[in-house]
Amino acid sequence: MIRVVATTPFEGQKPGTSGLRKKVQVFQQPHYIENFVQALFDSLDAFEGETLVIGGDGRYYNREAIQTVIKMAAAAGFGRLLVGKGGILSTPAASCVIRKHEAFGGIVLSASHNPGGEHGDFGIKYNIGNGGPAPEHVTDAIFERSRTIREYRIVDADEVDLDTLGITRVGDMVVDVIDPVEDYAELMGALFDFDAIRDLFASGFTMRFDAMSAVTGPYATAILEETLGARPGTVMHGAPLPDFGGHHPDPNLVHAKELYDLLMSEDGPDLGAASDGDGDRNMIVGRGRFVTPSDSLAIIAANAKLAPGYKDGIVGIARSMPTSGAADRVAAQLGVKCYETPTGWKFFGNLLDAGLATVCGEESFGTGSNHVREKDGLWAVLMWLNILAARRQSVAEIVAEHWASFGRNYYTRHDYEEVESAAADALVANLREQLASLPGTVINGLTVEKADDFAYHDPVDGSVTTKQGVRVFFADGSRIVYRLSGTGTAGATLRIYLERYEPDPARHDLDTQDALADLIEIARTLPDIEGRTGRRAPTVIT
């Protein structure tokens, strides 16, 4: 029986670059998640009898939200629903399942790398039939509908047993609880040389993978330990927990410090890797050598042909604008184009669907390819394992050879988290007001060559996306980028990206913060960060 429930709109149900993210308590308000899901379904067309995929990262409130979505999907008229056992599906696995089973779309319940638990964050986003995040015209339609909604529809039914594989029915809809790992593991086996990686582990190669008590634990255990033969215990923090074990599930040098310190020790393993809350980000560390996400993208692109799924080479590279120009140099040598897009994986989707790019990456620890339409943390780890198995060199040796061939892009990101939103907005607005007057000025000994606010003209659909980051370029080729991030749930995060290219191999082993010290000082003083925000130092440096 379908029940129609009267409701009133909530303020602020506007999906960001990765869906709607709020504190758990916000989603727990009566009718809150129902309003958003109904607004989502009301914004879609022609899905009667179609298949919908649903899953999440296992964080607090995941199971309750899934039960609600199942009953609303049945009321909306979907014919079949695929849901991961235990409510689990990593974000890349959800994309894989959507694509393999030719689903109409999917709903991913996650706040990605944000903290979990009763007082943590929660999120929900919609992925379209290509497996990627909904484009802006869809998310805009959802938001407009959320502002006028007056009722939602839900089936009165028992809750689905999410812990038992198999088929049940909710109303007229078939619900199939599936193994969350199976389809994804099958795809990875088709892309990478698993025999070579098995031989690598059999040779004594050691690794630690930190799943951060998040969603990739079951995937990494099944693939790395059970399939590829990595020694038991290779996967750290492998059980997904509602509060991520109290961890902040963001694989960077601050929140994955335990892993980083292990790899910097003399008796550390050969490779360290980590993934985030929903499995779409990655961190790569070799013994004694951290690999920046920008360098990782470039090295993966340069070596992609070593993996069977990419043996014919790549057709193009795409990177987010704040990501360093290291991949551009690889693209130039390979004779392919490198596309510079706004931050947000949905911008890569058009390029991938049009066959213009094969490998994509963002500096925020996200890397992927045309195998799915999301960034994919474990995919990046397996690509590195494939490269290491083929080249039989250490991570440090591979990085050093890459820099010797292409030069090194010294690169860092300084994050000021939970800045008061009005202050952050005013800071960026003031920078925009300075753009016309900056060229030709000398700041801290460096001459500004040009300054702009990045805008993207999509080569596939012709759409234009503006105000994507204030950029200041200097005559020596270095640059500073200022951008407000939309992935948090409290205040604003001001991200500052700093980059300088160094072609001389004799200068490739400098400390990054020292190599960029003059740019760091300019980045701090140009917008008067301390005066406008009260912050004397960044929250996180990566």
Side-chain angles (χ1 to χ4, degrees):
M1 174 182 170
I2 296 176
R3 181 162 48 94
V4 179
V5 182
T7 189
T8 55
F10 289 89
E11 290 291 330
Q13 287 195 327
K14 183 175 177 60
T17 56
S18 296
L20 181 68
R21 292 183 185 172
K22 304 285 183 183
K23 292 297 183 182
V24 168
Q25 289 88 342
V26 174
F27 276 96
Q28 288 177 320
Q29 296 176 89
H31 308 311
Y32 190 88
I33 195 166
E34 290 90 343
N35 274 25
F36 184 78
V37 172
Q38 190 64 60
L40 164 60
F41 291 156
D42 287 350
S43 303
L44 305 176
D45 295 311
F47 56 78
E48 184 78 22
E50 294 284 351
T51 297
L52 182 71
V53 173
I54 183 170
D57 59 16
R59 68 177 57 231
Y60 188 88
Y61 200 56
N62 188 68
R63 285 174 174 264
E64 295 87 343
I66 285 177
Q67 296 290 351
T68 297
V69 175
I70 290 173
K71 295 171 186 177
M72 293 188 68
F78 281 95
R80 183 183 182 216
L81 190 140
L82 302 178
V83 57
K85 181 181 178 182
I88 292 292
L89 271 180
S90 75
T91 290
S95 182
C96 168
V97 172
I98 291 169
R99 293 171 63 82
K100 177 178 178 179
H101 296 274
E102 299 181 343
F104 183 88
I107 292 177
V108 180
L109 299 159
S110 171
S112 188
H113 56 289
N114 293 0
E118 185 176 359
H119 302 289
D121 297 339
F122 193 76
I124 180 170
K125 74 169 183 174
Y126 178 67
N127 282 26
I128 59 176
N130 74 346
E136 287 184 332
H137 72 85
V138 175
T139 56
D140 287 346
I142 295 169
F143 176 54
E144 290 305 316
R145 179 58 182 147
S146 77
R147 299 170 68 185
T148 62
I149 190 169
R150 291 292 179 263
E151 63 182 34
Y152 63 84
R153 294 175 294 283
I154 190 166
V155 168
D156 284 325
D158 293 335
E159 293 195 346
V160 172
D161 178 3
L162 297 177
D163 296 310
T164 302
L165 297 176
I167 293 175
T168 57
R169 300 189 76 91
V170 174
D172 295 328
M173 183 179 71
V174 172
V175 178
D176 191 353
V177 178
I178 63 172
D179 183 328
V181 177
E182 185 176 1
D183 289 334
Y184 178 84
E186 179 183 63
L187 177 59
M188 294 302 103
L191 296 175
F192 300 113
D193 188 344
F194 275 14
D195 287 337
I197 298 173
R198 284 190 194 96
D199 289 343
L200 179 69
F201 280 120
S203 73
F205 180 90
T206 56
M207 175 185 179
R208 297 301 293 276
F209 179 92
D210 191 349
M212 307 191 86
S213 301
V215 77
T216 50
Y219 295 85
T221 300
I223 296 173
L224 297 178
E225 295 186 11
E226 297 171 9
T227 300
L228 295 176
R231 66 182 58 174
T234 291
V235 178
M236 307 162 52
H237 308 123
L241 300 175
D243 66 348
F244 303 122
H247 305 145
H248 190 137
D250 192 356
N252 59 38
L253 298 181
V254 173
H255 301 304
K257 189 175 187 302
E258 177 187 359
L259 178 71
Y260 175 80
D261 288 346
L262 176 63
L263 268 295
M264 294 302 114
S265 64
E266 290 186 4
D267 57 350
D270 297 298
L271 177 67
S275 192
D276 70 328
D278 68 331
D280 63 359
R281 298 186 180 208
N282 74 92
M283 184 175 82
I284 301 294
V285 192
R287 185 186 296 135
R289 171 63 69 189
F290 167 65
V291 186
T292 71
S294 295
D295 279 342
S296 182
L297 170 65
I299 292 168
I300 283 173
N303 291 273
K305 290 180 72 172
L306 297 177
Y310 308 89
K311 66 181 185 301
D312 295 330
I314 61 177
V315 298
I317 305 170
R319 64 167 177 86
S320 64
M321 178 274 289
T323 302
S324 91
D328 303 51
R329 301 181 187 282
V330 173
Q333 186 179 95
L334 295 177
V336 301
K337 188 166 183 178
C338 187
Y339 297 88
E340 185 179 43
T341 76
T343 297
W345 209 261
K346 59 189 175 185
F347 294 102
F348 295 143
N350 278 355
L351 299 171
L352 295 170
D353 285 346
L356 297 177
T358 305
V359 177
C360 307
E362 296 180 334
E363 55 72 37
S364 53
F365 294 79
T367 325
S369 83
N370 59 352
H371 69 290
V372 291
R373 294 297 181 268
E374 292 277 8
K375 49 186 175 278
D376 189 345
L378 193 50
W379 172 90
V381 175
L382 290 167
M383 177 63 89
W384 266 95
L385 283 169
N386 202 133
I387 293 168
L388 291 162
R391 293 182 56 166
R392 294 296 174 127
Q393 295 173 287
S394 70
V395 171
E397 289 169 338
I398 289 172
V399 170
E401 285 192 10
H402 184 87
W403 288 342
S405 297
F406 296 95
R408 179 176 182 181
N409 287 70
Y410 279 102
Y411 182 88
T412 189
R413 187 180 93 189
H414 288 200
D415 289 356
Y416 293 79
E417 295 178 339
E418 296 189 4
V419 176
E420 199 276 321
S421 295
D425 290 339
L427 183 150
V428 174
N430 179 259
L431 280 170
R432 289 188 174 118
E433 291 172 0
Q434 298 182 60
L435 289 175
S437 61
L438 280 175
T441 61
V442 178
I443 310 173
N444 199 19
L446 295 179
T447 302
V448 178
E449 183 175 68
K450 64 179 180 177
D452 66 12
D453 194 352
F454 179 63
Y456 178 62
H457 297 255
D458 193 300
V460 179
D461 63 18
S463 62
V464 178
T465 306
T466 59
K467 295 186 176 180
Q468 293 299 300
V470 173
R471 305 187 294 181
V472 181
F473 298 88
F474 297 91
D476 70 345
S478 56
R479 71 167 183 166
I480 302 172
V481 177
Y482 299 87
R483 178 177 168 271
L484 295 181
S485 171
T487 60
T489 60
T493 297
L494 173 65
R495 301 199 196 281
I496 303 175
Y497 313 85
L498 306 106
E499 177 179 9
R500 168 172 287 136
Y501 176 66
E502 178 54 71
D504 183 1
R507 293 180 54 81
H508 283 174
D509 285 321
L510 304 177
D511 177 82
T512 297
Q513 303 305 309
D514 292 340
L516 300 173
D518 53 349
L519 286 175
I520 292 170
E521 177 65 14
I522 294 171
R524 185 180 64 84
T525 57
L526 178 61
D528 187 17
I529 290 176
E530 184 174 353
R532 288 183 173 275
T533 70
R535 301 295 184 88
R536 295 186 176 183
T539 313
V540 178
I541 296 175
T542 51

